[in-house]
Amino acid sequence: MSELPALPVTFRPGRTRAVLLTAGIAIFVVITTVALLLEQLGPGEKLSFVFTGALLFAVLALLARVKVVADETGVTVVNIASRRHLEWAEILQVNLRPGDPWVFLNLSDGTSLPVLGIQPGIAKERAIADARTLRALAEDRSQRDLP
């Protein structure tokens, strides 16, 4: 990689995010419309339909929130239900092997952290490019931190 991007930089699965949010909105609208059109339903039943549609949208929105933000201090990984900030020195390796569902970070404490913000599902080429960029950033930052 010849030139690193200016920090901060955010990586997220754009197409997957668009599909999830569009599906969530469509599901909510369809379920709400059905609830309002079914005359035999009482107000409580209609409300439960709307609540179910909202709940399904919320789950899909939660799946769509994944991202990775790289800045001067390190990397913030936002997965489905968690957020973790890592300093550059904590990241030993950035992996995206063939068949992996997303990037994995090998950390200095001996653990591995899944990074759902870079996933090759719908946009494989983009995920590979993002993984390479994150790897180059981690290597560059770790070399800067050496004495």
Side-chain angles (χ1 to χ4, degrees):
M1 169 159 288
S2 59
E3 192 170 320
L4 296 174
L7 296 179
V9 62
T10 300
F11 304 100
R12 65 175 64 209
R15 290 182 188 165
T16 301
R17 180 177 164 86
V19 167
L20 289 169
L21 292 175
T22 301
I25 291 168
I27 289 168
F28 177 75
V29 168
V30 167
I31 289 176
T32 300
T33 302
V34 167
L36 296 175
L37 292 176
L38 290 174
E39 295 174 7
Q40 67 269 28
L41 295 181
E45 292 168 319
K46 288 182 181 189
L47 186 59
S48 71
F49 268 70
V50 173
F51 177 76
T52 300
L55 186 62
L56 291 171
F57 173 77
V59 168
L60 292 176
L62 195 59
L63 292 171
R65 78 185 275 263
V66 300
K67 66 181 177 180
V68 182
V69 180
D71 61 26
E72 292 296 334
T73 64
V75 175
T76 302
V77 177
V78 179
N79 285 334
I80 295 169
S82 66
R83 174 186 298 262
R84 182 169 175 191
H85 181 77
L86 303 164
E87 294 190 20
W88 287 110
E90 292 179 79
I91 302 170
L92 299 179
Q93 196 173 29
V94 177
N95 290 317
L96 179 60
R97 297 175 302 254
D100 280 351
W102 40 70
V103 163
F104 289 91
L105 301 179
N106 290 338
L107 306 178
S108 59
D109 65 2
T111 63
S112 181
L113 178 68
V115 179
L116 279 63
I118 302 175
Q119 50 182 268
I122 296 175
K124 184 176 182 180
E125 296 81 20
R126 177 66 190 196
I128 292 169
D130 287 350
R132 286 182 178 150
T133 301
L134 184 58
R135 181 181 299 126
L137 284 168
E139 289 171 358
D140 178 66
R141 298 298 169 182
S142 66
Q143 289 175 0
R144 287 185 188 189
D145 292 342
L146 292 176

